[in-house]
Amino acid sequence: MDFSEKQESVPDQTIKPKTTVLGIGGAGVKTVKYLSRLRGSQWLNIAVADADEGSLSEAGLPHSFPVGIEWTQGLGCGGDPGRGANAFAHKSQKSIEDFISGSAMLIVTGGLGGGAATGGAPVIGRLARRLKIPTIFLMTTPFAFEGHRRHEVADEGIKLLLPDTDIVIPIPNDILFSSLQSDVPAKKAFSMVDESISHAILGLAEVLRCGNILATDFADFKTILSNKKTVCRVGLGLAGNEDGDNRCNVAAERLLESPLLGGQQGLKEADAVIVTVIGGNDFEIGEMKQSLEIIKSLTALETRIINGVNTDTFYDNKIFITLLAVTFENKDSEEEITDTVWRPPIVKTTEEETATSLLQPELAFQSPSRGYFSKTPLNIVKGEDIDIPPFQRMGINLDKGN
Amino acid sequence: MLGRRNSEIVTAIEIGTSKICVIIGETDEEGNIIVLGSGERASEDSVCKGEIIDMQKAMGFFNEALADAEEAAGLDIEPHNVYIGITGSHISSHHGVGSVPISNEDRQVNESHINDALQNAAVVSHSTEEIIIDVVAGHYLIDGRRADNPLDQVAHKLESHSHIVCGNRNQVANFLAPAKDVHIDNPTPVFAGLASAMAVISDEEHKQGVLFIDIGAGTTEYILFYNPGIYESGVIAVGTDHIVNDLAIALELPFAPTCKDLVFSAGDKSKFKDGVIEIRGALGIRKIPEDTINKIISMRLLETFEILHEKLNSKGLLGSIGSGVVMTGGGATLPATEDIVKSVFKMPLRIVGSDLPSHFGGAVTDLSSPRYSMILGLLEYGVKRSNKGSLISKLDRNVNMFLRSGWKNIIRAIRP
């Protein structure tokens, strides 16, 4: 990239597919509503989906998807994730699918613990997988004062979500307490969460949009977060020329004050940190080094750090540091259930192969035989005739003895 | 016979892939189910994957089983109160919503309103080739607020959400044909999975949400219960016959009796020496590695449960199972089943054993294995539905409701 080139301030968007942000459930809708008003959100496709029609109409966003209305009368899922899942799984899914198809990436946000977001998130996860769209779930988990039940539901929700998605970033609302006075009313506390999360989403989207020099990309997030139960914190710090010569230090200070970071303590407790510094055409090598060193000095020795540096003309005369601090819940991953069940090796890799093998029986070890079921109708499930023995369909050789 | 008995005689019929079976029973004052007599014949290939493929043979076996049952019970059955279990890949289910305005003076919901709401929900949204077999009530909405028991509440509108099980008209008629052939004019079809669950699932399990699975010789039925209704139910046309077939193809040995024996004695360590079992084949003695047999059995069970897991997971339903999985049927007795089910579903598992629930009595000696859950449950269903008297209140000719018996009061029956 030639730093001396003059470029337009808004990059040409017609070529690259966009990042889509989808807010689900009451909290998700409010967060995305806030996001739509932030400068920098113009690069995003924004949509919201909820079973509560009131929440959608209040947000007033152009791409609103009511789900499961026939069931819930447009009144929401009543805190029942089962209903949430059903609402998202039925025909309303098609319009969401049409909207997100063709996205470069999908960021889903919502508050776990209730019905729509907790139940709907895994459904969206599977949909995105099917459409092969890399997806990040940035979900909040309830404040302590919201009670035991919501926590349990949220916890279950994360467990259900992990296998169906690449990246889940769970952020506990309680982190906000480090920067909240105790006399703040609950309603205000919730709206502060929505604001902070919307900033975090923007930060994340910017990191992934601006990837070039030493880019932090989706794969980095995936490496740290995939299939692990975590607690995450987010820090954002923006500074400009007007903040003086030491704009990196200013940005770092602001980052440390981020409401969703939990202060320096939050950083110290992290097992892994993904930090990205974004600057403009005036971004200097020295500044890059300095910013990353500041972060390094604030983390523990054993913390794994993934650095990224990006540039984009939107950040001319500015410096933007984003940080995701990840703490793993189960250090020795004992959560994985020790599986003594023998599983056959996966020989086939694509659906096309499976379909073709139905037509070319010579591919299997023997020609597929239905044996006892030869004279009965085919038993097709997901494109395969399951009357044929699994070992034949999978091309596995077995020792028949002598 | 009138006046001699306290309750109606009920007949339960199973036309299954491994056996064709008839049980005659009644109830006693405490609501226990008393088996008066039973009869059974092996289906011998007349039924495959849950569907009748040789009607003449099946009818013949049915007549013999019926004769045995009548002889054991010491009576001839009446042509009414006859219940037949229905299964097969043609079974489908969907969610039904029906509403009714509450227009009586005191605006209190009564049982008639509940029945009307259920009637209105029992609409087949598919083709005219489908008929409704069962309607299982779930929850209700009273003026939009959820209520599990709406009786006597004041409202403008009552809405019922229920689970409707449908079958293909002709396939269902097939199951009823052997009975009609002996002048039982109006036998009642019942989804086999539901019947089986009746004998097996406790109120406690039902309360927390439970996944019920019945693995038979030809089919695997499943029902996902939540409190108070059913989220999802269906049939996968795979059963233990598939495991037998897999072995027969892999080892090039006869389907029956060789491979059948291999499947059901796979856990019997005494038959294996140095990891090998000796089988007398057509061309001499074959030495079959135990490992191969186990792998084949495991692959089939694993695939079948993963199909089920995927069906439920794709609708986000697995999170609602509090009690875990309960399994019955011949397939549940296979040693490999337990580990595989736990591995796929990652939740507690109860496998029905050979002791019957305590409310069954009478001539039950030969019926105490998971293979009989369906027909015993069908008898229980029939008893509850048929009896006038203190157990249930019969409201109108078409719709019966049985209350006061824990979770099983969710079953409403609407004659197709």
Side-chain angles (χ1 to χ4, degrees):
Chain A
M1 182 170 165
D2 184 353
F3 279 65
S4 61
E5 233 182 294
K6 275 233 183 269
Q7 287 182 342
E8 299 223 287
S9 49
V10 178
D12 182 5
Q13 286 304 298
T14 55
I15 308 166
K16 279 172 66 179
K18 285 186 179 185
T19 296
T20 301
V21 178
L22 176 68
I24 58 176
V29 171
K30 292 205 190 74
T31 300
V32 170
K33 172 179 163 192
Y34 203 82
L35 175 70
S36 67
R37 306 223 192 101
L38 293 178
R39 192 161 163 261
S41 66
Q42 65 265 33
W43 285 295
L44 305 168
N45 276 335
I46 291 183
V48 284
D50 197 1
D52 181 342
E53 279 183 319
S55 112
L56 289 176
S57 59
E58 214 194 289
L61 291 167
H63 299 285
S64 280
F65 301 105
V67 291
I69 297 300
E70 321 81 69
W71 292 46
T72 63
Q73 310 294 65
L75 294 172
C77 298
D80 179 355
R83 224 188 268 185
N86 279 328
F88 277 89
H90 283 92
K91 50 184 179 177
S92 3
Q93 197 185 102
K94 188 75 177 60
S95 33
I96 298 180
E97 182 176 334
D98 290 339
F99 186 77
I100 69 177
S101 293
S103 301
M105 195 174 71
L106 176 64
I107 300 178
V108 180
T109 186
L112 293 173
T118 313
V123 179
I124 301 288
R126 285 186 288 274
L127 171 62
R129 257 218 179 137
R130 213 166 12 96
L131 298 173
K132 297 195 172 28
I133 302 175
T135 307
I136 299 181
F137 281 80
L138 204 115
M139 312 293 285
T140 60
T141 55
F143 282 108
F145 66 70
E146 293 184 65
H148 186 58
R149 170 102 185 110
R150 283 188 90 89
H151 270 275
E152 276 187 338
V153 173
D155 210 58
E156 263 314 294
I158 297 178
K159 284 205 192 106
L160 282 175
L161 192 51
L162 279 171
D164 285 317
T165 67
D166 292 319
I167 296 178
V168 179
I169 302 178
I171 302 185
N173 287 351
D174 282 320
I175 299 182
L176 270 189
F177 271 127
S178 58
S179 53
L180 278 179
Q181 319 288 51
S182 51
D183 59 356
V184 170
K187 192 169 172 195
K188 177 102 171 78
F190 284 113
S191 65
M192 284 180 71
V193 173
D194 300 332
E195 291 172 26
S196 312
I197 298 287
S198 66
H199 284 287
I201 293 175
L202 193 56
L204 185 63
E206 285 294 273
V207 165
L208 296 164
R209 177 180 76 85
C210 301
N212 34 36
I213 302 182
L214 182 65
T216 326
D217 59 11
F218 194 82
D220 292 315
F221 286 99
K222 204 167 152 180
T223 310
I224 300 275
L225 291 164
S226 189
N227 232 338
K228 300 192 189 75
K229 215 154 168 294
T230 61
V231 163
C232 296
R233 306 162 204 262
V234 177
L236 307 165
L238 181 65
N241 285 351
E242 60 280 8
D243 293 303
D245 288 330
N246 264 329
R247 56 184 189 173
C248 333
N249 290 54
V250 175
E253 268 168 50
R254 292 198 179 133
L255 184 144
L256 286 173
E257 283 162 26
S258 290
L260 290 176
L261 186 63
Q264 274 191 259
Q265 191 57 33
L267 259 188
K268 275 247 152 25
E269 285 172 1
D271 293 316
V273 155
I274 304 177
V275 57
T276 303
V277 186
I278 311 179
N281 285 325
D282 55 316
F283 196 26
E284 291 166 15
I285 303 181
E287 286 187 293
M288 294 183 202
K289 196 158 171 263
Q290 198 183 354
S291 316
L292 296 174
E293 303 244 306
I294 297 175
I295 300 298
K296 199 151 172 228
S297 67
L298 294 168
T299 57
L301 267 176
E302 313 83 49
T303 307
R304 182 172 166 189
I305 302 183
I306 294 190
N307 293 333
V309 174
N310 298 336
T311 63
D312 188 280
T313 51
F314 183 69
Y315 292 96
D316 282 348
N317 303 320
K318 292 198 271 283
I319 184 167
F320 183 38
I321 309 181
T322 69
L323 185 145
L324 182 71
V326 180
T327 310
F328 299 117
E329 281 211 340
N330 302 296
K331 312 283 182 195
D332 35 30
S333 53
E334 49 188 297
E335 271 285 299
E336 286 165 31
I337 298 182
T338 38
D339 214 342
T340 51
V341 170
W342 173 81
R343 278 185 158 75
I346 297 171
V347 174
K348 292 208 177 58
T349 49
T350 63
E351 281 180 34
E352 287 90 31
E353 276 184 30
T354 316
T356 328
S357 69
L358 272 181
L359 303 169
Q360 294 172 36
E362 315 83 59
L363 279 180
F365 183 59
Q366 289 165 259
S367 37
S369 164
R370 305 181 69 236
Y372 183 68
F373 303 113
S374 317
K375 303 207 181 90
T376 65
L378 299 186
N379 202 348
I380 307 285
V381 169
K382 287 188 131 182
E384 288 188 25
D385 178 2
I386 58 178
D387 281 349
I388 298 174
F391 74 87
Q392 281 198 342
R393 283 180 272 128
M394 297 168 109
I396 293 176
N397 295 348
L398 292 164
D399 178 9
K400 292 193 285 187
N402 51 353
Chain B
M1 291 301 171
L2 283 173
R4 207 190 113 179
R5 300 199 174 275
N6 305 328
S7 70
E8 304 264 322
I9 301 293
V10 172
T11 308
I13 299 173
E14 173 176 7
I15 315 277
T17 304
S18 89
K19 65 186 185 306
I20 292 178
C21 191
V22 177
I23 296 189
I24 303 172
E26 61 174 1
T27 185
D28 66 12
E29 292 91 19
E30 280 114 58
N32 294 312
I33 316 293
I34 312 294
V35 174
L36 298 170
S38 66
E40 176 182 337
R41 289 291 182 277
S43 307
E44 283 184 27
D45 309 330
S46 59
V47 181
C48 186
K49 288 188 276 188
E51 293 171 13
I52 301 178
I53 55 176
D54 186 337
M55 184 60 84
Q56 295 304 315
K57 223 168 160 185
M59 279 188 179
F61 290 137
F62 166 67
N63 288 332
E64 289 172 25
L66 177 59
D68 282 358
E70 284 179 320
E71 189 181 323
L75 52 82
D76 288 339
I77 64 165
E78 306 283 303
H80 43 263
N81 298 336
V82 177
Y83 296 82
I84 306 188
I86 311 285
T87 184
S89 52
H90 62 103
I91 299 277
S92 67
S93 62
H94 62 273
H95 181 88
V97 181
S99 57
V100 70
I102 312 296
S103 46
N104 47 332
E105 257 192 62
D106 56 9
R107 293 233 124 115
Q108 278 187 296
V109 175
N110 58 35
E111 289 179 356
S112 165
H113 290 129
I114 294 178
N115 280 303
D116 286 347
L118 289 167
Q119 287 267 30
N120 294 342
V123 169
V124 183
S125 54
H126 311 295
S127 58
T128 48
E129 281 177 17
E130 302 243 313
I131 56 166
I132 294 178
I133 302 174
D134 287 296
V135 178
V136 181
H139 58 277
Y140 300 87
L141 294 181
I142 299 179
D143 292 341
R145 278 177 359 260
R146 175 159 162 163
D148 286 352
N149 183 5
L151 208 53
D152 294 330
Q153 299 216 29
V154 177
H156 287 291
K157 179 173 116 161
L158 173 70
E159 189 176 291
S160 81
H161 287 248
S162 41
H163 185 77
I164 320 266
V165 181
C166 299
N168 174 278
R169 194 176 287 278
N170 290 340
Q171 304 269 39
V172 173
N174 250 6
F175 275 99
L176 306 182
K180 288 196 167 169
D181 195 55
V182 293
H183 307 298
I184 298 169
D185 292 323
N186 251 333
T188 305
V190 179
F191 173 42
L194 192 55
S196 198
M198 288 216 74
V200 162
I201 302 290
S202 68
D203 282 341
E204 259 318 302
E205 283 169 333
H206 181 262
K207 218 160 145 187
Q208 307 292 334
V210 62
L211 174 59
F212 170 77
I213 305 176
D214 182 340
I215 314 176
T219 55
T220 297
E221 288 93 32
Y222 62 91
I223 302 185
L224 178 53
F225 288 99
Y226 76 100
N227 191 8
I230 291 180
Y231 268 139
E232 188 69 33
S233 71
V235 178
I236 300 173
V238 170
T240 56
D241 273 359
H242 282 78
I243 306 180
V244 175
N245 190 42
D246 292 346
L247 276 181
I249 292 175
L251 305 174
E252 291 165 344
L253 288 170
F255 181 90
T258 315
C259 290
K260 267 197 180 165
D261 287 341
L262 273 179
V263 170
F264 288 98
S265 66
D268 185 355
K269 292 291 175 186
S270 66
K271 301 212 167 147
F272 291 88
K273 227 172 24 170
D274 299 325
V276 156
I277 185 172
E278 290 189 359
I279 305 274
R280 184 164 290 282
L283 304 164
I285 297 199
R286 294 270 306 272
K287 290 194 168 134
I288 316 286
E290 186 183 0
D291 189 57
T292 301
I293 297 175
N294 289 337
K295 281 202 169 119
I296 292 174
I297 296 176
S298 295
M299 270 196 271
R300 176 59 78 173
L301 287 173
L302 194 58
E303 179 183 74
T304 309
F305 292 122
E306 280 178 344
I307 289 175
L308 177 56
H309 181 269
E310 219 269 305
K311 274 191 200 227
L312 299 174
N313 201 25
S314 66
K315 297 192 182 171
L317 295 173
L318 291 171
S320 33
I321 305 172
S323 311
V325 181
V326 173
M327 281 188 48
T328 190
T333 63
L334 297 175
T337 302
E338 183 167 354
D339 281 342
I340 292 178
V341 173
K342 280 184 179 162
S343 164
V344 170
F345 287 97
K346 299 183 178 43
M347 46 180 90
L349 167 64
R350 171 169 82 91
I351 297 190
V352 168
S354 52
D355 23 86
L356 287 177
S358 53
H359 60 279
F360 283 99
V364 291
T365 352
D366 297 325
L367 304 174
S368 56
S369 110
R371 295 177 65 225
Y372 295 93
S373 295
M374 197 288 263
I375 194 159
L376 285 171
L378 188 57
L379 184 67
E380 180 172 350
Y381 177 102
V383 155
K384 287 192 150 79
R385 189 169 151 176
S386 305
N387 275 281
K388 309 174 176 79
S390 62
L391 280 182
I392 50 164
S393 58
K394 194 168 184 174
L395 290 163
D396 80 352
R397 218 151 280 222
N398 286 334
V399 180
N400 281 339
M401 183 160 86
F402 20 100
L403 308 160
R404 304 165 216 115
S405 47
W407 75 264
K408 296 165 194 180
N409 67 359
I410 62 175
I411 299 166
R412 286 8 175 192
I414 296 185
R415 291 183 191 276

